[in-house]
């Protein structure tokens, strides 16, 4: 079923049908506080310039002060708001430590949570190399733009300049580090933030003027007063935070319609969010930054790591507090892949009742590459396999590109369309993320995708599934990558290079 692959399942499962056990990881954190959104930095006169400093800081997570290597001392980082055609400048300052502690240790307790486990199987690594990726944005991959193959070493600064095309898609994007071998650790520390490109849905009847809420969802492990982004702790010990808060309260009036922009900024967690069981109704508007042609009624939100979704949420007439639940999810057949059912927020329906807004029947037009006149320049089969701790694309590992074989390289030319078959030949869920150019899903397990066009830059790929996508390489030349956005998989080799030639 393609909707399960993209971002949402339409099967309605009442949140109250299954009891939700207490959140083990939430103990000691402040819960039940009103949802607060990250601070906003917005462009003016066609430009936004800002600085992101990655540094070990004392930050706030769930009302507790903890140590973590974050941007500007914030968990998550600020939301950047720009317009199509703007220039976004980000000065990245790497002030992280030049050495590293054993994986799972902290400054307060240098003993690893699991002694003898070096970071992610790379005991030879030292330093805290980083860079910056503007996830989902259609910008040049050539430095000083979205070049994720460059490295910014500890103590160094790098000035990024992103020139947004005038026809940039409006919607929700995000930024995070992409230094190879370090992405899992740094995103797990909390180095992430939302990007909003204004326009698109903002002015449509039935959406314009609604309360617009950004929710940055992250998973994090706090150990001995510090963040430890350990893959070796089972999921019940990992917090799910929304805007850095633990089980916050999301307020809505009876009958009110709100626009929620949900970002899965976690380093590995697949989210399957069930709405509060009070008659709360949801309509999907966009997947990643790709707006649908018509709203789609959904019963749950499913987001792979890195994915985003925009939804209209309409409260029923009943008042009270209702749980927003992350459902049980088996990502892989080990205890470390079994994510428990847990409450992640409370939806509080209170206040004066409102007359429900009419839900729009149409949204925005979308390109469709399924027609018989679409010329396919090349076809590839991309196979995801694994032998932990190694993860492969077409049987090869991606290596640090500095003086080393980068692994498989896929060539394309500007103004062509390619068709790729993504095959998951492993026993666990993966996620296919392509930089620079979004793709359209055209077949799932050999079955053509009907209905409105379904576009994405990230998608879940279940075990045994094959998904066929078509990729238009319209304009930007240069070298970029695709990979699994379960970041421990990327760091362990599940990434490959794309070179687009003139």
């Amino acid at each position: 079923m393609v909707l399960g692959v993209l971002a949402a399942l339409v099967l309605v499962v009442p949140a109250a049908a299954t009891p939700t056990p207490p959140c083990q990881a939430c103990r000691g954190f402040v819960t039940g506080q009103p949802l607060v959104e990250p601070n906003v930095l917005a462009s003016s006169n066609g430009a936004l310039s800002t600085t992101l400093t990655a540094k070990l800081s004392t930050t706030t997570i769930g009302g507790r002060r903890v140590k973590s290597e974050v941007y500007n001392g914030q968990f998550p980082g600020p939301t950047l708001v720009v317009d199509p055609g703007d220039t976004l400048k980000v000065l990245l300052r790497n002030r992280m430590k030049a050495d590293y502690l054993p994986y799972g240790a902290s400054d307060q307790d240098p003993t690893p949570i699991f002694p003898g486990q070096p970071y992610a199987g790379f005991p030879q690594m030292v330093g805290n190399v980083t860079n910056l990726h503007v996830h989902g944005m259609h910008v040049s991959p050539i430095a000083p733009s979205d070049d994720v193959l460059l490295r910014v070493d500890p103590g160094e600064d790098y000035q990024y300049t992103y020139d947004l095309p005038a026809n940039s898609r409006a919607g929700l994007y995000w930024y995070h580090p992409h230094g190879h071998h370090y992405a899992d650790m740094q995103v797990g520390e909390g180095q992430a933030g939302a990007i909003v490109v204004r326009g698109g849905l903002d002015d449509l009847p039935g959406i314009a003027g609604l309360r617009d809420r950004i929710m940055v969802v992250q998973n994090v492990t706090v150990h001995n007063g510090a963040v430890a982004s350990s893959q070796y702790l089972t999921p019940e010990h990992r917090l799910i935070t929304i805007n850095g808060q633990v089980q916050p309260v999301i307020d809505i009036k009876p009958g009110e319609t709100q626009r929620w922009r949900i970002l899965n900024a976690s380093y590995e967690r697949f989210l399957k969010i069930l709405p509060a069981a009070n008659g709360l109704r949801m309509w999907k508007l966009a997947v990643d930054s790709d707006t649908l042609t018509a709203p789609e009624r959904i019963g749950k939100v499913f987001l792979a790591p890195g994915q985003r979704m925009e939804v209209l949420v309409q409260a029923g007439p009943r008042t009270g507090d209702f749980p927003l639940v992350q459902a049980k999810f088996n990502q892989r057949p080990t205890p470390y892949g079994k994510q428990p059912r847990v409450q992640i927020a409370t939806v509080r329906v209170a206040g004066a009742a409102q007359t429900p807004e009419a839900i729009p029947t149409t949204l925005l037009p979308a390109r469709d590459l399924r027609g018989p006149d679409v010329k396919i320049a090349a076809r590839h089969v991309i196979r995801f396999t694994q032998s932990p701790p190694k993860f492969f694309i077409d049987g090869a590992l991606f290596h640090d590109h500095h003086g080393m074989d980068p692994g498989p390289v896929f060539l394309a030319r500007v103004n062509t369309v390619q068709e790729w078959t993504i095959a998951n030949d492993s026993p666990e869920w993966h996620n296919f993320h392509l930089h620079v150019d979004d793709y359209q899903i055209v077949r799932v397990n050999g079955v053509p995708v009907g209905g409105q066009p379904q576009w994405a830059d990230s998608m879940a790929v279940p075990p045994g599934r094959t998904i066929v996508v078509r990729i238009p390489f319209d304009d930007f030349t240069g070298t970029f990558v695709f990979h699994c956005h379960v970041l421990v998989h990327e760091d362990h080799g599940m990434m490959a290079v794309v070179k687009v030639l003139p």
Side-chain angles (χ1 to χ4, degrees), residues 22-33 59-68 75 188-189 218-228 233 235-248 342-344:
C23 173
Q24 294 186 36
C26 298
R27 294 170 182 167
F29 292 88
V30 178
T31 62
Q33 297 297 302
T59 189
T60 300
I61 298 176
R64 281 175 54 181
R65 300 293 283 169
V66 300
K67 292 281 190 180
S68 191
F75 184 104
E189 292 267 355
Q218 296 164 286
N219 64 317
V220 62
T221 302
V222 176
H223 175 69
N224 289 337
V227 170
L233 284 180
E236 64 266 21
H237 299 291
R238 306 174 198 164
L239 286 169
I240 300 178
T241 64
I242 303 178
N243 298 345
Q245 297 173 269
V246 176
Q247 294 185 342
V342 64
Q343 182 175 345
I344 62 173

Side-chain angles (χ1 to χ4, degrees), residues 442-490:
V442 296
R443 287 193 300 279
V444 176
N445 278 354
V447 178
V449 174
Q452 61 179 309
Q454 299 191 34
W455 288 80
D457 63 58
S458 303
M459 68 177 181
V461 188
R465 187 71 57 92
T466 59
I467 303 174
V468 178
V469 302
R470 289 185 175 177
I471 309 165
F473 297 99
D474 288 332
D475 39 24
F476 290 118
T477 60
T479 300
F480 50 96
V481 297
F482 68 90
H483 58 89
C484 177
H485 219 283
V486 177
L487 293 179
V488 70
H489 298 170
E490 173 197 319

